[in-house]
Amino acid sequence: MVVGEVAVETEVIIIGGGPGGYAAAIRLGQLGKSVVLIEKDKLGGVCLNRGCIPSKALIHTADQYQRLNDLGKMGIRLSQERTAMDLGVWQDWKAGITSQLKQGIAHLCKENGVTVVKGQAAFLSDDRIGVETDGDFETYKFEQAIIATGSRPFIPSFIKVDGEYILDSTSSLQLQEVPSSLSIIGGGYIGIELGMAFAKLGTKVTIIEMANRILPQIAENLVKEVTRSAKKLGMNIKTSTRVEKASVVDGHVHLHVSSEEKGAEVVVSEKSLVTIGRIPNTEEIGLNRAGVTVGEKGHIEVDMECRTNVPHIFAIGDTTPGPALAHRASKQGVVAAEVIGGLPSAVDSPNVPYVIFSDPQIAGVGLSREEAEQQGYSVKIGKFPFSANGRALATDETEGFAEVIVDADSHILLGMHMVGADASNLIGEGVLALEMAARVEDIALIMHPHPTLTEGWMEAAEAVLGHAIHIVNK
Amino acid sequence: MMEFKLPDVGEGMHEGEIIQWLIKEGEAVKQDQPIVEVQTDKVNAELTAPAAGVVKKIFFSEGDIVEVGTTIFTIQEENDVSVPYKGMIDEEIQVVQSGDVIVNAEQITTKQHHEVVRALATPFVRQMAREMKVDIEKVKGSGPAGRITESDLKQFKENNSITLEDAKHHDSKSVQEMALMNDAIQAKGVENEWEERIPLKGIRKKIAEHMVKSVSTIPHVTHVDELEMDRLKEFKNQLKEYSDDKDIKLTFLPFFVKAIVIALKEFKTLNASIDEKTNEIILKNYYHIGIATNTEEGLIVPVIKNADQKTIFQLADEIKQLAAQAREGKLSIDQITGSTFTISNVGPIGGMHATPIINYPEAAILALHKMEHRMVVRDLEGVIRLMMNMSLSFDHRLIDGVTAVHFTNRIKELLENPIRLVVEMR
């Protein structure tokens, strides 16, 4: 910074063009604010470029690939030649998807008057920000700012991600060939999603999880189906196991692991993937110069309006405490934008839905049974298995169930969870129901289209009331 | 967790108005520390903490009307070991010493980090609440299972806008109803709002109920007479130096109290009431005189107990103190109940005649009107005298017109000739 420099003035600065940042930028544009959106890499952030979208493209591809093996029983005779997977072609296809989406965002930003600047941003004070682009440095003066810098994979110090043998979630989605074997450190949702996808593509997958089961954050009854399915896919799941050391020997990764049950052992695989968590990107943006305080774990505390301790600076998405999910970031982005625009907006609901693209999928919203009981509710549960649903049978996707959790006193829905095909789409009904403060009767009384999987919700709700049609009510 | 329910601090009260919270949620309190000021039947009562602890939740805002028996706040007692569920569990990567990593799953959970307490309402209604600047947590839902509907919000806003928002602009917590109604009409008139609805509550409601009961039970008759005040004024002026020495501001009122007490002793049915249940007339041999006092809160009637046993100066002093306490809303139940006869002194404001409503279950009420110099005829000559009217409403079940006139004649005799008053005083 030099004396006498001229700062570009704007009403709002947004740092980070991920699903939170660009949603905020577009909404601010709609509200007539002058907005500068600074992105150091690619619009769309992790979600679009390295996370949600590419991983779902891979998962879908793997599903299709695996499906081919099951078509025989439906009478489809494929040629006897072995079906091959060309991951190089897949990369191009994936690049096409992300590119189309990025162009869409860029177009929307432009149409809404958002100025997109590529560069690395850092606060200079509480009303100035510096942006470095290919050696150039420009300063911006703002009235309000939104921090939307997201998060990155956490890698423990004794593991070095080289992108070739030891991968993080980003580099695993850039592979040009299907690895013959893959060890995954971490049995959380990213590890399970990618692990199952690669297993379907023919990779021998080993999951190493410290907790006593995979997906430890998700209610145990929901995870059982996935564990069973993983084993059917030939995945090797090592729970209660910790990784001590990782090294590359003769073109293979050697993971030194230990567990109480089996003691120390070495897991050898062609590649290894580290997916043990994410940490917020809050260190290198000069927050201290803006006076924004950061918690012990690097998160920025915000209120319901997404304001930080500095009232004109907001933070959203993975930089704030809470689940690192794109839809949470987007919601916060819109709220922050509306608050800046003078609207009475707030993140006023604890209902953050979650979706896991495992096989079968898991999705849910609201409280689990355990959480509801911990909070002092007396709880009623209704459950309906997919195996009793006509559509599930007709599409050969009979694994899983719908579950509704209800406050026994008021019959208000507390949680809706599902394991099974298309749970990720079906949870929409659950989110709507919980946000509308619906009672279980509201779900039971709605005419659900037949034959669809949505009938599962209706039957689970009826089960709570003791009169589900397609199962025996106990 | 201890729930504090609104007790019956008045005499069979059914509801009270929350006037002021003296603590905030989360604040630690000692036993017997004042927590909340509640307006009961014409009295402000300070309610205190039943136990030491932390105030966990306050359920009503200032201005809310609460039924007796409703929980108004909760206290987490000091020795209560139950820990409230925090609704959040940090699941972060735990890095143990020497780079040893506890492999843990990514952050994905149904639990929110923040404790967002969501009221039972649809997203649209919650948004509406923000727009209306209503704290939705305080709105009671009328929908299924207590859901808050749009109309609940509107009703809440209607009921609270005046007491909560407008009242802030007034220095006193006064209501205000009448004044505000005028303000509102003036302010809103231009906005084409031809009428405004203000809930009938608090003191105004109590007054209304009391008046209806009185008028619908007691057959009222009002008799008016006039008094010549010149001699009493002169007499009072003669006492001025003496009262100044005693630091007492002497008004006409203590003389009226004395004259009335003397007359009441002679006309016992005027210091009486009817017990409708037993069909008995209760003649009272004690003389507790209520002084209807205009305060910003509304009409309050502090009572001078045993007025017959007090001197003029003692009465003057007591009237002054009671009036001050009434204006500050600091009268106790004891100080506003038990009157046997009421005086309504509207003279300072103006007016010639009135039909005062009896302070049920008493037998009569005397209104004192404006004192002014008027032309009157004395010895067939027009002269100017300091005149004052008084209106006596009486219970015609108990008192005949003749008795009432004799009663006012006696008062008149005593006040127009202060010497006689002095002679009759005990």
Side-chain angles (χ1 to χ4, degrees):
Chain A
M1 189 162 48
V2 292
V3 178
E5 62 161 355
V6 180
V8 180
E9 294 200 7
T10 181
E11 285 175 295
V12 190
I13 279 274
I14 301 169
I15 318 174
Y22 79 70
I26 291 170
R27 188 75 184 101
L28 281 163
Q30 289 171 353
L31 294 168
K33 293 275 175 185
S34 64
V35 191
V36 174
L37 174 65
I38 304 162
E39 169 57 51
K40 68 173 175 180
D41 189 9
K42 293 169 184 162
L43 278 180
V46 171
C47 163
L48 202 160
N49 297 290
R50 304 182 293 281
C52 317
I53 303 300
S55 69
K56 265 80 257 182
L58 182 73
I59 289 161
H60 175 75
T61 302
D63 282 345
Q64 300 298 99
Y65 184 85
Q66 191 218 12
R67 196 100 179 133
L68 292 174
N69 300 324
D70 296 331
L71 293 176
K73 71 177 173 193
M74 296 176 195
I76 300 174
R77 296 221 177 94
L78 299 172
S79 79
Q80 294 307 299
E81 266 179 58
R82 192 181 173 332
T83 314
M85 177 70 211
D86 190 332
L87 213 50
V89 174
W90 178 84
Q91 288 292 352
D92 294 342
W93 176 68
K94 176 198 80 175
I97 299 166
T98 55
S99 159
Q100 189 184 335
L101 287 168
K102 258 180 294 193
Q103 281 169 20
I105 295 165
H107 178 70
L108 288 169
C109 285
K110 194 176 160 218
E111 290 298 310
N112 285 289
V114 176
T115 307
V116 179
V117 174
K118 193 177 176 187
Q120 172 85 42
F123 286 98
L124 305 172
S125 67
D126 66 358
D127 68 348
R128 266 161 204 274
I129 211 158
V131 181
E132 202 182 337
T133 313
D134 302 330
D136 284 343
F137 191 83
E138 191 142 24
T139 56
Y140 292 84
K141 188 170 185 296
F142 59 84
E143 288 166 20
Q144 269 115 358
I146 300 177
I147 302 161
T149 45
S151 63
R152 62 182 186 279
F154 172 77
I155 308 294
S157 57
F158 67 95
I159 295 177
K160 194 171 174 354
V161 170
D162 57 19
E164 191 182 351
Y165 298 103
I166 300 181
L167 316 171
D168 58 14
S169 54
T170 305
S171 45
S172 72
L173 290 166
Q174 288 161 346
L175 291 173
Q176 297 291 324
E177 279 174 38
V178 178
S180 62
S181 58
L182 176 69
S183 55
I184 299 177
I185 306 172
Y189 79 101
I190 298 176
I192 294 301
E193 285 183 357
L194 294 177
M196 289 187 118
F198 280 109
K200 287 175 182 176
L201 293 174
T203 304
K204 182 151 182 46
V205 175
T206 304
I207 303 261
I208 301 150
E209 168 59 47
M210 166 77 191
N212 61 1
R213 60 186 174 90
I214 57 166
L215 299 171
Q217 262 75 33
I218 305 299
E220 195 166 2
N221 66 326
L222 302 171
V223 177
K224 270 186 195 153
E225 299 268 354
V226 175
T227 309
R228 193 160 42 231
S229 157
K231 284 179 180 160
K232 239 161 75 180
L233 283 171
M235 290 166 73
N236 182 15
I237 295 177
K238 291 177 171 294
T239 52
S240 303
T241 303
R242 77 171 63 206
V243 177
E244 311 274 5
K245 198 178 137 193
S247 54
V248 180
V249 182
D250 297 334
H252 276 79
V253 184
H254 288 224
L255 292 183
H256 296 255
V257 302
S258 71
S259 63
E260 247 179 53
E261 201 187 329
K262 293 187 175 170
E265 55 184 326
V266 179
V267 176
V268 180
S269 56
E270 190 187 327
K271 296 190 190 293
S272 187
L273 165 61
V274 188
T275 63
I276 54 172
R278 301 187 68 84
I279 51 170
N281 296 323
T282 50
E283 304 97 330
E284 290 168 0
I285 48 171
L287 289 178
N288 54 339
R289 288 192 289 271
V292 175
T293 51
V294 173
E296 260 175 51
K297 285 157 185 162
H299 289 113
I300 305 167
E301 288 285 349
V302 289
D303 62 14
M304 277 166 80
E305 294 186 331
C306 302
R307 270 183 221 276
T308 67
N309 63 307
V310 180
H312 66 283
I313 300 180
F314 297 72
I316 59 171
D318 295 3
T319 65
T320 64
L325 297 170
H327 47 263
R328 190 175 72 97
S330 298
K331 173 72 188 168
Q332 286 180 307
V334 170
V335 166
E338 290 181 342
V339 170
I340 289 170
L343 299 177
S345 201
V347 182
D348 66 347
S349 168
N351 295 325
V352 180
Y354 65 91
V355 175
I356 299 169
F357 289 84
S358 49
D359 183 5
Q361 295 177 358
I362 304 178
V365 62
L367 304 175
S368 68
R369 177 191 204 133
E370 292 74 21
E371 288 165 344
E373 283 171 352
Q374 266 176 305
Q375 291 188 21
Y377 288 102
S378 97
V379 171
K380 277 189 186 172
I381 308 273
K383 221 168 154 177
F384 184 80
F386 273 29
S387 56
N389 176 282
R391 178 63 182 272
L393 283 163
T395 52
D396 193 29
E397 290 175 315
T398 54
E399 292 164 325
F401 56 86
E403 181 182 75
V404 297
I405 290 144
V406 174
D407 174 17
D409 300 327
S410 66
H411 276 201
I412 294 283
L413 288 160
L414 300 174
M416 291 172 71
H417 305 270
M418 184 177 266
V419 192
D422 224 13
S424 55
N425 284 319
L426 294 167
I427 196 57
E429 178 170 344
V431 179
L432 184 66
L434 259 69
E435 286 298 314
M436 298 298 279
R439 292 169 65 127
V440 67
E441 287 87 349
D442 294 324
I443 301 285
L445 290 168
I446 292 174
M447 199 189 291
H448 284 67
H450 176 77
T452 66
L453 301 177
T454 63
E455 291 170 283
W457 289 129
M458 178 176 69
E459 299 259 13
E462 285 169 341
V464 172
L465 303 169
H467 56 71
I469 300 295
H470 292 92
I471 48 169
V472 178
N473 297 285
K474 285 167 195 163
Chain B
M1 191 82 75
M2 182 183 280
E3 293 186 348
F4 185 92
K5 296 188 167 69
L6 183 66
D8 178 0
V9 288
E11 295 175 326
M13 69 176 229
H14 301 294
E15 57 187 25
E17 181 178 344
I18 307 282
I19 296 296
Q20 195 187 356
W21 287 103
L22 306 168
I23 42 84
K24 291 194 187 78
E25 274 181 15
E27 215 167 274
V29 292
K30 294 186 193 116
Q31 187 166 359
D32 299 327
Q33 180 180 333
I35 299 277
V36 61
E37 221 181 293
V38 176
Q39 172 94 62
T40 66
D41 188 358
K42 300 191 180 182
V43 190
N44 284 6
E46 222 170 47
L47 305 180
T48 57
V54 173
V55 175
K56 292 308 279 187
K57 182 108 186 115
I58 289 174
F59 294 97
F60 294 93
S61 345
E62 292 170 6
D64 284 355
I65 303 289
V66 185
E67 277 180 31
V68 168
T70 311
T71 301
I72 55 172
F73 65 90
T74 54
I75 286 189
Q76 175 119 34
E77 290 163 89
E78 266 170 0
N79 50 3
D80 186 352
V81 292
S82 68
V83 179
Y85 176 66
K86 283 191 175 158
M88 54 175 261
I89 294 172
D90 269 355
E91 42 257 303
E92 299 279 329
I93 311 119
Q94 300 168 43
V95 180
V96 188
Q97 285 177 346
S98 71
D100 187 7
V101 168
I102 295 169
V103 177
N104 204 336
E106 295 82 0
Q107 280 184 34
I108 177 168
T109 167
T110 57
K111 297 162 200 158
Q112 255 286 49
H113 184 89
H114 310 268
E115 193 168 8
V116 184
V117 184
R118 201 204 63 176
L120 212 57
T122 65
F124 176 75
V125 170
R126 300 198 309 265
Q127 171 76 12
M128 212 171 121
R130 284 194 294 272
E131 282 168 6
M132 291 164 75
K133 296 192 170 39
V134 166
D135 181 355
I136 198 164
E137 297 287 334
K138 300 201 168 109
V139 182
K140 206 170 166 226
S142 68
R147 257 176 281 176
I148 300 162
T149 63
E150 290 171 47
S151 61
D152 291 335
L153 264 190
K154 285 180 186 151
Q155 209 174 332
F156 181 88
K157 177 81 176 172
E158 221 167 72
N159 292 347
N160 289 270
S161 57
I162 282 159
T163 46
L164 287 181
E165 291 187 10
D166 299 350
K168 282 178 193 156
H169 303 303
H170 292 250
D171 288 343
S172 67
K173 57 188 183 317
S174 71
V175 191
Q176 83 214 207
E177 274 92 356
M178 296 314 286
L180 274 171
M181 199 183 274
N182 291 337
D183 288 356
I185 289 164
Q186 280 165 14
K188 301 271 172 132
V190 287
E191 291 166 27
N192 220 7
E193 289 190 24
W194 295 102
E195 57 181 37
E196 180 141 345
R197 285 168 180 258
I198 294 165
L200 183 59
K201 58 176 195 169
I203 283 183
R204 194 78 258 159
K205 190 176 172 197
K206 289 288 163 202
I207 292 171
E209 288 166 2
H210 200 66
M211 292 301 160
V212 168
K213 186 168 188 186
S214 179
V215 168
S216 58
T217 312
I218 303 173
H220 279 62
V221 175
T222 305
H223 148 72
V224 181
D225 203 346
E226 61 175 358
L227 295 163
E228 197 182 298
M229 302 289 285
D230 299 84
R231 282 189 212 165
L232 185 60
K233 190 181 180 189
E234 197 187 327
F235 185 68
K236 187 173 82 89
N237 287 345
Q238 284 170 8
L239 286 168
K240 190 174 186 310
E241 203 176 316
Y242 184 51
S243 63
D244 284 351
D245 281 352
K246 291 199 163 242
D247 204 19
I248 286 168
K249 188 174 175 264
L250 198 54
T251 65
F252 287 104
L253 201 50
F255 296 97
F256 271 94
V257 172
K258 267 302 180 195
I260 285 165
V261 168
I262 290 164
L264 286 176
K265 287 190 172 179
E266 293 165 12
F267 300 90
K268 287 191 169 296
T269 49
L270 280 122
N271 196 51
S273 61
I274 289 182
D275 187 334
E276 282 127 15
K277 283 180 198 152
T278 57
N279 264 323
E280 285 173 314
I281 299 167
I282 307 169
L283 300 177
K284 296 160 188 173
N285 295 322
Y286 49 93
Y287 302 89
H288 298 343
I289 307 299
I291 311 281
T293 306
N294 182 47
T295 72
E296 287 174 337
E297 302 278 343
L299 194 68
I300 306 254
V301 187
V303 180
I304 300 167
K305 298 275 164 74
N306 302 313
D308 59 323
Q309 294 166 28
K310 291 171 181 169
T311 68
I312 292 281
F313 280 171
Q314 280 172 334
L315 290 172
D317 198 39
E318 193 170 335
I319 289 166
K320 189 181 152 198
Q321 281 182 28
L322 287 172
Q325 279 176 284
R327 276 191 291 274
E328 288 162 24
K330 284 185 178 163
L331 290 169
S332 68
I333 278 279
D334 193 44
Q335 287 173 300
I336 60 158
T337 50
S339 59
T340 58
F341 185 94
T342 298
I343 300 172
S344 174
N345 185 20
V346 291
I349 307 165
M352 291 285 288
H353 307 279
T355 54
I357 293 175
I358 296 164
N359 188 9
Y360 180 91
E362 291 163 26
I365 182 168
L366 186 71
L368 306 175
H369 301 293
K370 192 168 76 176
M371 217 181 287
E372 62 183 347
H373 286 102
R374 286 202 292 257
M375 179 71 85
V376 293
V377 178
R378 296 286 180 260
D379 301 328
L380 295 175
E381 269 182 37
V383 291
I384 292 171
R385 291 282 188 266
L386 183 60
M387 301 303 290
M388 186 182 107
N389 290 357
M390 57 181 174
S391 305
L392 177 82
S393 287
F394 56 92
D395 185 342
H396 211 341
R397 293 175 300 178
L398 266 179
I399 303 156
D400 296 329
V402 176
T403 313
V405 175
H406 281 316
F407 176 72
T408 51
N409 282 349
R410 180 63 169 143
I411 291 171
K412 196 171 151 127
E413 182 194 356
L414 294 169
L415 291 171
E416 290 188 343
N417 305 285
I419 300 285
R420 291 185 199 174
L421 178 66
V422 172
V423 170
E424 298 282 356
M425 269 171 24
R426 284 183 197 178

